[in-house]
Amino acid sequence: MVLSLMRKHAQSWIIKFLIGIIALVFIFYFGYSFNSDDGIKVAEVNGEAIGRVEYEKAYSDMLTSFQNQYKSFWNDKLVEAFDLKNRALEGLIEQKLIAQEAEKLGLTVTKAEIQEKILEIPAFLTDGRFDEGRYRAVLSNNRTTPEVFEEGYTRELLQQKVAQFITAFIVPSTQDVLDHYRYANEKVKVGFVKFTPDEFRDAVPRDKEAMNTFFNEKRESYRVPEKIKIAYIKIGAEKFSNEVTLEEDDLNGYYEDNIDMFTQQKQVKASHILFMTAQDASPEEIEKIEEKAASVLERAKKGEDFAALATEFSDDTSKSKGGDLGYFSQGRMVKEFEDAAFALEPGQISDLVKTDYGYHIIKVEDKKERSVKAYDEAKGQVDSILRRIKSMDMADERARTLLDQMPYDVDLEKYAAENNEQYITTDFFSQAEPAPVIMNNTKLAETLFTLEKGDLTEIVEQNNEFYIMQVIDKKSSYLPELDEVYAAVEADFVDNMALKAAKEEAEAYLKTVKEKDTWAELAIEKGKTPETTDFFTREGNPEKIGPAQGLNEAAFNLTQDNPYPETVFENQTGAYVIKFEERQDIDEARFNEEKESFTENVANRKKQEAIRDWIARLKANAKIDLSYFERMR
């Protein structure tokens, strides 16, 4: 808001006074600091200083990165919300530790290495050769100099050398890769009996004392979040549409500059029959699917109705339309499918086409050659596009004028009325459930909740409309009393007690079934129907049950000789007793196909873990003095 004040009243005596005060503070504070030992550094790492200039550069780079992400939603209060000052310092500390270790290890980066690497960077090449003019222009556009860039690049290359040194001998063995692959891909199937809360809900007593105890234990979960109320001026592009004047040269120029927009690429109209193959399908399963596809292909080529065959056999959603995919141009389908379709003439049927989805039979119905829409035909479309663009520009300019001329302590409603603009207010809303005008824009919501009452946003653009928003009221977060949230607490209490009763019943069932091993009989006695999941991996959720804490880990520890776990498992849908049914080992053939890429993944993961552990050990053993930084803040 200080910057807004300076912008809006740059000529006033108040600003001149403020600038004078700021100048004096700068001279006395920084003038003193830079002449003292403490002022030239912000921290020490093993006796080596991190300089103030170095820190300010790192902080500025990080700040710029976040500002580029948030664009018009950025405000200075997000600096604290994202803890940028500490994060910038942490990054420098890690760099310093790595550089110190590199020196101990005798690792350096020479000027020749830097030059060689820079000469290979594509952004600096013209016609495949290094272009110094382009090099300097690219750096200038990114607000840096060759000296600064080369210094940072040197640091990056040194870190790469250190990382390579640390991880040079991390090569996973075949057994290690196989173990990781098996851990990720083996599957298990379990039987289960479900006890639902609904069976016990009616029996839950609505005991006021018990409910009050429940509320006090979980009171934090009923916290009413911080809420704000905003007002905004909305400037829509549509109101300027009739003010736009377009000349013939404007329309013709846009048409010629954007001729691709009016070009219809070559297209085919095709139908297909898909025989889907699962990613984890065995060679035997794939062979059966291919045989089925071949038999249907034979029928199609003999003249049977293609649409009828697609409706009967296809695994694709297009089966409901007889396999019809409509017209499509190149680049819309996977390459194998596309190559086959564009090679056919209308009426022709392909052989089997294999893609990652499975086997396809393709029939081309029609073809359209590449064509360009004539200017006279496209003129109406061009007019509409240019009118929208210019309307947006005019709305943007109007919003900027309003913001630039806005008084510091503005009464937004009055200001909107004076300028014949629409003024709108919202109800109070929380960050988790923002007002509709925010349109699920999480960055805008984050920004608004860092503002104080009376603060304004910069210009916000959404759906061809421009907004200037102001926080007009705030309500702090607080812990409510029971009466305020009684209905919600009562519903949660009943749910909780019903689930607890279901869990107790499930635990009794588990105890009995482990003693007597009468899984099906006991289930029937309890009025239950035993069910079975599909096969699932450690990272997958068993269908019919869903995610339940601890269930996957327990399921993979079960065996035929030890079929029951030690506990029951619960989620919001109920309590589950599970029983081992079957384990499915990995497909050895598939493992051999994926072994190379999986080995690389395992190696990269181990290397990243090693580097993280190494840096953590460096930090733990380093002498890091942050007292300068604390005094500076």
Side-chain angles (χ1 to χ4, degrees), residues 7-43:
R7 183 185 69 235
K8 292 161 191 160
H9 300 285
Q11 303 304 316
S12 73
W13 68 269
I14 299 175
I15 292 308
K16 291 175 183 177
F17 176 76
L18 280 176
I19 291 172
I21 294 296
I22 291 168
L24 286 172
V25 170
F26 185 88
I27 291 167
F28 284 106
Y29 179 72
F30 288 104
Y32 167 77
S33 295
F34 278 105
N35 287 306
S36 69
D37 291 339
D38 294 355
I40 62 172
K41 57 189 171 185
V42 295

Side-chain angles (χ1 to χ4, degrees), residues 322-334:
D324 184 13
L325 297 171
Y327 284 96
F328 56 88
S329 55
Q330 289 179 317
R332 290 280 305 278
M333 303 292 183
V334 294

Side-chain angles (χ1 to χ4, degrees), residues 44-78:
E44 279 189 359
V45 181
N46 293 324
E48 189 174 343
I50 294 175
R52 185 188 293 272
V53 173
E54 183 182 8
Y55 169 75
E56 293 294 349
K57 173 68 168 62
Y59 170 68
S60 175
D61 289 346
M62 184 174 286
L63 179 62
T64 300
S65 174
F66 274 83
Q67 287 172 333
N68 288 338
Q69 288 181 51
Y70 278 74
K71 295 186 169 63
S72 62
F73 306 132
W74 180 261
N75 73 70
D76 290 342
K77 289 170 185 173
L78 288 170

